[in-house]
Amino acid sequence: MLVLASGSPRRVELIQQIVPEFQSLSSDIEELGSDKWPDFEIAPLQLAPPFPVSGSEDPRLWAWRKANDVALIYRDRIEPGMAILGADTVVVGPGRTLGKPRDGEDAISMLALLRGDPHYVVTAFVVLRATNAEPVVFHHEAVISKVFMRAYDDHEIAGYVATGEPFDKAGAYALQGQGGKLVSHVEGCINNVVGLPVCQVRRALVAAGEQVLPYPNDGFCEHCPLAT
């Protein structure tokens, strides 16, 4: 059975579309911080200036840290050979990476920065294989989507922030929620913006020998070339 190293409702909902059975286990390593690094090379993301992502903020690093931490702290619940999926999403605005806003003022500032312009959302995921010692990396990947925001006005920003939705969302908006009204269109995988590039994850899990569900006939990733 697959282990999803996340308690995110969005990722839980998306992984339910990929595999028939899984367990969701999470850690607080993202809040606590970590200085651990994987043994695979993390090459710079292919984003044009001015969209920088530092090595310490790279979602591939944090996807691995989350999955690795879950493998270690839940060793008694994860049998050797089980696959562990970790993921991390960053919103990259002009000049800086945008995390979750600290407060309403920070949320307003982020949404004003993104207004009327494109930015990038990068979701990285790793698949680890549990062992009796350190887990082994089977696959790692970063998927990039380009999001174009509408030229919304200050009143729209204030109204959206007042809903409370932005406060636990990177970049201060949720594409799948009311924040979707602020978005003009997306180039690339929409599910990637929500939190998990389901087609790429499904392909990696198939390569790892995991049981996956067939693609549903309800428009699921209907524009993705990997949806076969």
Side-chain angles (χ1 to χ4, degrees):
M1 179 169 56
L2 176 72
V3 174
L4 174 64
S6 174
S8 163
R10 297 173 295 280
R11 291 200 176 105
V12 167
E13 182 179 352
L14 289 171
I15 201 67
Q16 286 174 336
Q17 302 178 62
I18 305 173
V19 298
E21 189 177 9
F22 68 97
Q23 57 178 321
S24 172
L25 301 172
S26 60
S27 79
D28 53 4
I29 195 168
E30 194 169 17
E31 290 73 27
L32 296 175
S34 173
D35 59 1
K36 296 185 70 172
W37 287 78
D39 58 6
F40 60 82
E41 180 183 1
I42 300 179
L45 290 168
Q46 299 301 307
L47 299 179
F51 295 96
V53 178
S54 68
S56 62
E57 296 176 313
D58 195 292
R60 289 166 294 185
L61 169 63
W62 285 100
W64 174 82
R65 283 176 172 172
K66 293 175 186 178
N68 188 73
D69 196 49
V70 162
L72 297 179
I73 64 178
Y74 294 103
R75 190 188 300 274
D76 60 331
R77 297 173 60 179
I78 301 175
E79 298 178 2
M82 291 179 68
I84 305 162
L85 173 67
D88 186 67
T89 301
V90 295
V91 176
V92 190
R96 63 188 180 107
T97 300
L98 304 177
K100 298 175 183 178
R102 298 182 302 273
D103 51 32
E105 184 177 344
D106 194 29
I108 290 171
S109 175
M110 288 184 184
L111 293 170
L113 176 68
L114 299 177
R115 172 170 45 199
D117 289 314
H119 64 275
Y120 294 96
V121 176
V122 185
T123 295
F125 69 93
V126 300
V127 179
L128 307 186
R129 187 72 69 188
T131 71
N132 288 318
E134 291 282 333
V136 176
V137 177
F138 177 82
H139 182 88
H140 60 89
E141 185 175 349
V143 180
I144 301 170
S145 298
K146 194 172 186 179
V147 182
F148 294 77
M149 304 299 273
R150 291 178 39 247
Y152 41 78
D153 59 31
D154 291 345
H155 293 293
E156 288 182 90
I157 293 177
Y160 178 53
V161 172
T163 68
E165 185 177 84
F167 295 119
D168 64 341
K169 308 295 189 299
Y173 74 93
L175 176 65
Q176 73 279 11
Q178 296 182 61
K181 298 176 182 178
L182 304 179
V183 176
S184 169
H185 64 283
V186 177
E187 290 183 358
C189 178
I190 292 178
N191 285 323
N192 188 56
V193 181
V194 177
L196 200 68
V198 291
C199 292
Q200 286 88 340
V201 170
R202 185 180 185 278
R203 181 177 61 178
L205 293 178
V206 168
E210 294 297 308
Q211 184 179 5
V212 299
L213 296 169
Y215 278 101
N217 297 316
D218 60 356
F220 171 78
C221 286
E222 61 182 334
H223 302 299
C224 179
L226 299 177
T228 56

